[in-house]
Amino acid sequence: MFLGLEWYWWIVIAAVLILSVPFKVKFMKWWSKREQSKKKGTSGKWGDEE
């Protein structure tokens, strides 16, 4: 087969990739919220200081 892998390994690889997409989306949303809260929490005494 292609690249020396049997056909069932390609199905396994495709299934893992398809199942990982929702987890990646959830992680990206979580990371974005985390960065926003981190940025909001690090403002200085006068508000706009960095």
Side-chain angles (χ1 to χ4, degrees):
M1 283 304 284
F2 188 66
L3 295 178
L5 294 176
E6 295 293 332
W7 63 270
Y8 49 86
W9 285 114
W10 288 110
I11 294 174
V12 170
I13 292 170
V16 168
L17 289 174
I18 289 169
L19 291 174
S20 68
V21 170
F23 292 108
K24 181 178 178 185
V25 170
K26 187 172 183 173
F27 174 77
M28 293 299 288
K29 286 181 181 178
W30 171 80
W31 189 262
S32 175
K33 286 181 184 177
R34 181 176 174 269
E35 290 296 313
Q36 287 291 329
S37 67
K38 210 187 246 189
K39 189 180 283 186
K40 193 180 291 184
T42 59
S43 60
K45 181 178 176 182
W46 305 108
D48 289 336
E49 285 182 358
E50 282 194 298

